[in-house]
């Protein structure tokens, strides 16, 4: 007999439940115990003047010191900032621009630098307290522009903060409150602000380009708001600065000495995350570090914030919304829960089943998760009702869960080895009824919490009692016990039947469990390589018969490697390019003929020889030695050591044994004289396989360059004597 399921799954469904001392783990879509927010007392009663912190594309930290009129630069090492490399880029007491000053500069010194940003092109923007904005080119070491933003007729007009996304820079002005958008060379443009913003003082840009502003910084009424979605804003009391850590994780700094708060912000939902430790924070601002993470200033220097250890509440509950079987007097069957229950923690359940609910019964309040900041429930009118509080209070006994040894109840499905969630089972101990509510009780320690990701309940229950003599089920209490007792055997028999019904799943490479793939591949005599990705192994089994049919051919070998890499490759047989033109540098017995420049054109011979060897004069013996039974495998991506070993293993097993090959990947570079073919092994243009290099100041693994093309003159933005000249 087939059975249906009612379930509670995904964050949207859990949000329609009632939470008590529990929270929602957004990244896992699971419920867990709420944590205790430790609020450290502030080390200072007043907020110090903020400073500017910024990283350039080459992992160098820039810091402004307003009271001294300085901007410093510090190199970033493996363990963080190398304080021994801290140098002054600009000082107020010197009538020059330091490293950036041309010989004849009339711009004058810095007065009081505050906010700093560096765009993707390596231009440093320095906002001065009086409203001036200086733009320096860090590569060419010269001043590009000096702007005056805001209304010069208003004395109080000033730049309070800067933010950057790519080449675009945002400047926030106060008195009056204005947002300016510009880049290193374009003219500033004004962008309107929402009317609910009263005194914004800080702004930041998420990695995907969303602009967020902080209103009433340092006040109990402090609030953050995305510029394009003002309804998604929320309050953060005492917040003084904001920055994005990851794609959607907003970090808020508070008063000096207090830890940082973290929030996961989506399109409409915002949830609090575990906070970050910020010991000895002096209140002068935060910045996103190059490899993610948040850095801040202390009196002893720059430090990264680290995740704090959580202190969870000892107990909490989650009450689900109404589950409907659409049939009165339904006897509910087994309950399956996907949960992560560490040692020392526990999850217990109790159930309430009813056919009808009194019209005026007081229902359980739908309390949101403790960590909810701004959650939006789509179509709340469709949320099923909560249970009546009176009936639920009459059921006080909770029942434990049993961990299933066979994994999930779904046939032929096993839990992934990397998944910490396993399936637990328990019978629904409740009377018959169309509607069912489930209460989950979570118990943990101060350091550990159980997590529940999914809840599934089958209905109706088994009908084995109908197959026994009536005498065994006349008494209601005895019948209930016998039903639960027989559910153990019935569950095992049902799983055996379902495995038999769905045995065809084992023959489907896309649906078969991972541990059965090697058995399935044995049907066609194929041995799987554990180094292959799981998706590639499934595709290999599905195409196994075709691959063996064309084994040893160009198409078969290409398809084999393309399945492993997940992208197309090329195989160049050397005899097909014999006689084509190309530049040859090296001995004449080179493996291939070099770059194809055009048919009939060839610059040949050994280096230093005056005479070029004509194609028509090449001997047959030399052509056989250099071209016959040879091919090049062209792979347009960079290969790591394991990928190269796997490809070499494929070639060793499936290529013709009398052939010789070479592998040409992006990271191998251009080799003049060895397989350099335009359109096959060579591409004109930017490649993702290489980084740029900056001579003398390279930071390997980051964005390094040698030089940069000069920027042209832009009408309305360029200035004679600064970025342009006549003559």
């Amino acid at each position: 007999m087939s059975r249906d399921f009612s379930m509670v799954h995904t964050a949207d469904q859990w949000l329609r439940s009632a939470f008590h001392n529990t929270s929602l783990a957004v990244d896992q879509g699971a419920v867990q115990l709420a944590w205790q927010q430790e609020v450290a007392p502030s080390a200072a009663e007043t907020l110090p003047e903020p400073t500017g912190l910024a990283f350039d594309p080459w992992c160098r930290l820039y810091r402004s010191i307003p009271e001294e009129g300085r901007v410093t630069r510090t190199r970033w090492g493996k363990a963080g900032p190398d304080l021994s490399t801290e140098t002054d880029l600009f000082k107020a007491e010197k009538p020059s621009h330091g490293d950036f000053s041309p010989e004849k500069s009339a711009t004058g010194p810095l007065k009081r630098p505050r906010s700093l940003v560096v765009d993707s092109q390596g231009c440093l923007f320095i906002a001065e307290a009086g409203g001036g904005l200086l733009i320096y080119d860090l590569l060419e070491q010269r001043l590009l522009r000096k702007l005056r933003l805001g209304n010069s007729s208003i004395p109080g007009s000033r730049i309070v903060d800067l933010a950057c996304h790519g080449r675009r820079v945002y400047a926030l002005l106060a008195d009056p409150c204005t947002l300016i958008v510009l880049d290193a060379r374009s003219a500033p443009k004004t962008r309107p602000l929402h009317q609910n913003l009263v005194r914004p003082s800080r702004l930041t840009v998420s990695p995907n380009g969303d602009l967020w502003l902080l209103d009433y910084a340092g006040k109990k009424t402090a609030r953050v708001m995305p510029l394009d979605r003002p309804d998604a804003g929320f309050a953060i009391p005492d917040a003084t600065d904001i920055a994005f850590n990851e794609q959607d994780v907003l970090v808020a700094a508070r008063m000096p000495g207090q830890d940082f708060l973290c929030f996961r912000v989506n399109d409409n939902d915002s949830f609090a995350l575990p906070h970050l430790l910020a010991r000895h924070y002096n209140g002068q601002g935060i910045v996103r570090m190059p490899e993610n993470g948040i850095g801040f200033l202390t009196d002893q220097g720059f430090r990264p914030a680290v995740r704090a250890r959580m202190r969870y509440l000892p107990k909490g509950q989650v009450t689900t919304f109404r589950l409907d079987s659409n049939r009165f007097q339904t006897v509910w069957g087994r309950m399956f829960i996907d949960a992560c229950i560490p040692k020392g923690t526990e999850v217990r359940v109790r159930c309430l089943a009813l056919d009808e609910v009194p019209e005026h019964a007081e229902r359980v309040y739908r309390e949101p998760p403790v960590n909810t900041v701004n959650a939006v429930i789509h179509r709340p009118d469709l949320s099923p009702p909560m249970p009546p509080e009176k009936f639920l209070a009459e059921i006080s006994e909770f029942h434990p869960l049993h961990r299933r040894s066979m994994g999930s109840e779904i046939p032929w499905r096993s839990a992934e080895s990397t998944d910490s969630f396993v399936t637990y089972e328990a019978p629904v101990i409740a009377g018959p009824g169309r509607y069912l509510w489930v209460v989950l009780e979570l118990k943990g320690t101060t350091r550990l919490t159980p997590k529940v990701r999914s809840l599934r309940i089958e209905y109706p229950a088994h009908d084995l009692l109908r197959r026994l003599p009536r005498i065994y089920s006349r008494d209601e209490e005895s019948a209930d016990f016998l039903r639960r007792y027989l559910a153990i055997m019935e569950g095992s028999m049902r799983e055996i039947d379902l495995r038999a019904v769905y045995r065809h799943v084992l023959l489907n490479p896309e649906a078969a469990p991972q541990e059965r793939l090697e058995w399935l591949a044995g049907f066609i005599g194929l041995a799987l390589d554990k180094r292959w990705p799981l998706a590639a192994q499934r595709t290999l089994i599905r195409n196994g018969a075709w691959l063996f049919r064309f084994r040893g051919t160009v198409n078969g070998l290409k398809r084999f490697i393309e399945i492993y890499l997940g992208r197309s490759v090329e195989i160049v047989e050397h005899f097909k390019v014999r006689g084509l033109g190309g530049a040859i540098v090296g001995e004449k017995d080179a493996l291939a003929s070099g770059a194809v420049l055009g048919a009939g054109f060839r610059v040949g011979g050994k280096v230093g020889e005056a005479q070029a060897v004509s194609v028509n004069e090449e001997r047959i013996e030399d052509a056989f030695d250099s071209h016959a039974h040879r091919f090049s495998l062209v792979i347009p991506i960079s290969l790591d050591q394991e990928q190269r070993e796997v490809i070499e293993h494929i070639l060793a097993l499936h290529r013709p044994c009398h052939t010789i090959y070479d592998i040409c990947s992006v990271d191998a570079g251009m080799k003049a004289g060895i397989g350099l073919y335009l359109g096959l092994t060579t591409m004109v243009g930017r490649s993702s396989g290489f980084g740029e290099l900056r001579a003398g100041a390279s930071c390997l693994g980051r964005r390094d360059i040698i030089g940069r093309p000069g920027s042209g003159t832009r009408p309305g933005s360029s200035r004679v004597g600064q970025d342009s000249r006549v003559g």
Side-chain angles (χ1 to χ4, degrees), residues 572-581 591-594 596 602 627 677 680:
V572 180
E573 298 179 274
H574 291 179
F575 81 92
K576 291 185 178 181
V577 298
R578 175 176 174 265
L580 294 180
L591 194 61
S593 62
V596 177
R602 176 170 180 167
H627 295 85
Y677 301 96
L680 292 177

Side-chain angles (χ1 to χ4, degrees), residues 361-365 386-394:
E362 185 177 357
R363 298 182 179 271
V364 173
Y365 173 67
M386 300 302 295
E389 190 171 359
K390 176 183 176 181
F391 291 92
L392 191 63
E394 296 175 355

Side-chain angles (χ1 to χ4, degrees), residues 34-56:
W35 59 84
Q36 300 174 354
Q37 183 67 56
E38 299 180 359
V39 181
S42 175
E45 297 181 357
T46 60
L47 187 65
E49 181 180 5
T51 63
L53 292 172
F55 282 92
D56 66 10

Side-chain angles (χ1 to χ4, degrees), residues 183-204:
D183 59 36
R185 294 181 177 273
S186 66
K189 298 180 180 179
T190 303
R191 185 170 178 179
L193 293 174
H194 195 268
Q195 58 183 2
N196 292 341
L197 290 169
V198 181
R199 295 193 62 84
S201 57
R202 306 295 288 179
L203 74 162
T204 186

Side-chain angles (χ1 to χ4, degrees), residues 527-583:
L528 295 180
D529 192 336
K530 299 301 182 180
R531 296 173 295 181
W532 282 49
L534 179 60
Q537 294 183 33
R538 297 183 184 276
T539 306
L540 179 63
I541 297 174
R542 188 176 66 250
N543 295 271
W546 185 93
L547 291 171
F548 279 120
R549 179 184 177 187
F550 292 93
R551 185 183 183 189
T553 65
V554 173
N555 291 333
L557 199 57
K558 280 182 56 179
R559 180 59 180 156
F560 214 113
I561 298 174
E562 287 173 351
I563 291 175
Y564 168 66
L565 293 177
R567 63 172 304 154
S568 60
V569 299
E570 292 290 341
I571 292 182
V572 180
E573 298 179 274
H574 291 179
F575 81 92
K576 291 185 178 181
V577 298
R578 175 176 174 265
L580 294 180

Side-chain angles (χ1 to χ4, degrees), residues 1 21 146 229 406 425 433 442 444 533 536 544 602 632 646 698:
M1 176 181 178
N21 290 340
K146 183 175 182 180
R229 295 178 287 109
M406 302 179 65
E425 180 181 345
L442 284 67
R602 176 170 180 167
S632 296
V646 172
S698 300

Side-chain angles (χ1 to χ4, degrees), residues 43-162:
E45 297 181 357
T46 60
L47 187 65
E49 181 180 5
T51 63
L53 292 172
F55 282 92
D56 66 10
W58 308 282
C59 299
R60 295 177 298 188
L61 174 64
Y62 295 83
R63 175 192 175 190
S64 66
I65 307 177
E67 62 274 11
E68 300 179 10
R70 293 193 298 143
V71 176
T72 64
R73 179 176 64 190
T74 306
R75 291 187 179 180
W76 191 264
K78 293 182 179 180
D82 186 0
L83 299 180
S84 61
T85 63
E86 184 175 5
T87 58
D88 289 330
L89 291 181
F90 205 64
K91 289 185 177 181
E93 60 268 23
K94 291 185 178 181
S96 66
H97 293 285
D99 295 341
F100 307 105
S101 176
E103 294 183 0
K104 297 180 181 180
S105 175
T107 58
L110 285 177
K111 297 179 181 179
R112 196 173 182 83
R114 295 187 62 181
S115 298
L116 303 176
V117 292
V118 182
D119 67 6
S120 59
Q121 301 298 311
C123 293
L124 173 64
F125 293 72
I126 304 177
E128 294 189 298
L133 182 63
L134 303 179
I135 306 175
Y136 292 96
D137 192 318
L138 296 175
L139 295 178
E140 299 181 8
Q141 299 184 358
R142 66 187 180 93
L143 177 68
L144 289 180
R145 304 170 67 186
K146 183 175 182 180
L147 302 176
R148 170 70 184 182
L149 300 181
N151 192 345
S152 59
S153 62
I154 303 177
S157 181
R158 67 189 190 282
I159 303 176
V160 295
D161 199 13
L162 296 175

